[in-house]
């Protein structure tokens, strides 16, 4: 039943393979409560140590295949506004720099690729997010990938275009590389440019939260209304994690433009 990801997930602690059991229902309820509280749910120790080690090893072997991006952007991923003061969030520029390893380079035997491709994980993610059904991305490069942030690399403040994200952490650097977020900083009804500017200018540190990021942590995150970033990596070893991509509809893929940007090619 769980052969596809046996040995990868601590299913004693997180019974994603039996969501209809009492313990499975409790797990889903707990995830939903965490998401309702501040838009973030982390499951520490989700991956077993051997699977973490294997993903770190595989990502190191694929390092030469990584596509490097380093670019400025505003927090909305829109063209920066010209007709507002320079400190306005719509004009403010951030920097994102990372190494991305595409799905098609990751071996089919990689423990977290097997986990991603299992129907049990897709069902669990849907249940935790309160959805009837979800579909894995159909993108051959982006559906499941590995990101390596080297020293000096970072992910600038931004809001996600997508409703939620799913990540699994493999390795943290010696310093930096923290996932910071400010829950519910905007809503569909309120753009809250003034509140956002406070965060961007570093004047609202008390409202900034840190996502749990120990190796093996599984995280669900509502990033559409929460401003978030990964701080600059320091030290000598990279920060390594995976993003697992899902959609409400089957067959979802990156646009050719986005695929070129993230992976340097179109599938
Ligand atoms: Fe994001």
């Amino acid at each position: 039943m769980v052969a596809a990801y046996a040995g990868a997930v601590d299913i004693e602690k997180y019974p994603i393979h039996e969501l209809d059991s009492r313990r499975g229902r409790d797990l889903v309820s707990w995830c939903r409560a965490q998401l309702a509280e501040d838009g973030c749910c982390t499951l520490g120790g989700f991956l077993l140590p051997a699977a973490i080690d294997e993903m770190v090893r595989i990502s190191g072997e694929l390092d030469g295949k990584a596509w490097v991006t380093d670019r400025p952007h505003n927090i909305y991923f829109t063209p920066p506004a010209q007709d507002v003061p320079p400190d306005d969030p719509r004009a403010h520029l951030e920097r994102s720099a990372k190494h991305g390893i595409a799905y098609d380079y990751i071996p089919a035997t990689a423990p977290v690729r097997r986990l991603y491709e299992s129907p049990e994980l897709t069902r669990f993610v849907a249940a935790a997010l309160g959805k009837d059904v979800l579909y894995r991305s159909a993108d051959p490069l982006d559906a499941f990938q590995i990101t390596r942030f080297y020293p000096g690399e970072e992910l600038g403040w931004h809001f996600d275009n997508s409703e939620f994200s799913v990540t699994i952490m493999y390795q943290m650097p010696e310093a930096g590389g923290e996932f910071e977020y400010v829950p519910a900083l905007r809503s569909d009804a309120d753009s809250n440019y003034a509140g956002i500017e406070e965060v961007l200018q570093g004047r609202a540190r008390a409202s900034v939260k840190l996502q749990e990021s120990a190796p093996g942590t599984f995280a669900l995150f509502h990033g559409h209304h929460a401003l978030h970033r990964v701080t600059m990596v320091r030290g000598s070893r990279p920060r390594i994690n995976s993003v697992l991509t899902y959609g409400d509809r089957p067959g979802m893929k990156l646009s050719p433009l986005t695929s070129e940007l993230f992976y340097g090619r179109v599938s």
Side-chain angles (χ1 to χ4, degrees):
M1 180 66 181
V2 296
Y5 51 92
V9 175
D10 185 347
I11 55 171
E12 294 300 317
K13 201 170 171 186
Y14 301 113
I16 59 168
H17 60 303
E18 46 182 28
L19 296 183
D20 294 330
S21 71
R22 172 68 190 267
R23 292 176 58 244
R25 289 199 303 273
D26 287 349
L27 172 62
V28 167
S29 300
W30 189 84
C31 291
R32 289 183 184 179
Q34 295 295 305
L35 285 167
E37 190 177 309
D38 75 348
C40 182
C41 166
T42 53
L43 306 180
F46 186 83
L47 271 197
L48 291 166
I52 299 171
D53 291 348
E54 181 68 355
M55 293 308 294
V56 170
R57 186 189 67 75
I58 289 169
S59 96
E61 283 184 352
L62 294 173
D63 187 39
K65 304 271 195 189
W67 181 254
V68 185
T69 55
D70 189 340
R71 65 190 180 110
H73 58 84
N74 77 358
I75 62 171
Y76 307 103
F77 298 110
T78 56
Q82 308 288 336
D83 53 350
V84 295
D87 282 350
D88 185 287
R90 288 162 288 181
H92 174 93
L93 286 180
E94 290 281 320
R95 168 193 178 238
S96 287
K98 62 180 181 177
H99 286 57
I101 299 169
Y103 191 18
D104 63 349
Y105 289 141
I106 301 169
T109 53
V112 179
R113 176 170 171 161
R114 284 187 286 126
L115 173 65
Y116 173 66
E117 291 171 352
S118 71
E120 287 90 348
L121 188 74
T122 306
R123 264 202 300 276
F124 166 64
V125 170
L129 291 167
K131 294 174 179 290
D132 290 337
V133 65
L134 270 182
Y135 301 90
R136 290 193 298 279
S137 161
D139 196 288
L141 306 184
D142 187 60
F144 170 67
Q145 52 85 277
I146 299 172
T147 304
R148 292 167 70 91
F149 290 93
Y150 278 87
E153 295 186 326
E154 63 191 317
L155 200 60
W157 286 117
H158 65 280
F159 292 106
D160 290 343
N161 286 319
S162 55
E163 175 198 340
F164 64 88
S165 63
V166 183
T167 54
I168 299 185
M169 179 61 69
Y170 306 133
Q171 178 174 284
M172 281 294 279
E174 284 95 343
E178 300 283 1
F179 187 100
E180 296 186 342
Y181 66 106
V182 184
L185 191 58
R186 68 171 182 177
S187 67
D188 289 337
D190 182 6
S191 300
N192 191 20
Y193 296 128
I196 294 168
E197 188 174 328
E198 289 294 297
V199 177
L200 296 178
Q201 301 305 321
R203 296 192 295 261
R205 291 300 298 171
S207 62
V208 177
K209 294 186 158 194
L210 274 188
Q211 188 180 81
E212 180 185 349
S213 56
T217 301
F218 176 94
L220 297 167
F221 182 65
H222 281 302
H224 190 62
H225 290 147
L227 194 66
H228 56 284
R229 71 172 175 179
V230 174
T231 62
M232 187 178 285
V233 166
R234 311 278 184 195
S236 59
R237 66 168 184 257
R239 177 192 200 267
I240 310 170
N241 75 341
S242 271
V243 180
L244 290 62
T245 302
Y246 299 88
D248 288 322
R249 289 172 285 113
M252 289 182 57
K253 290 186 177 185
L254 289 183
S255 70
L257 205 67
T258 310
S259 186
E260 280 286 351
L261 180 66
F262 287 168
Y263 301 106
R265 60 198 165 106
V266 174
S267 62

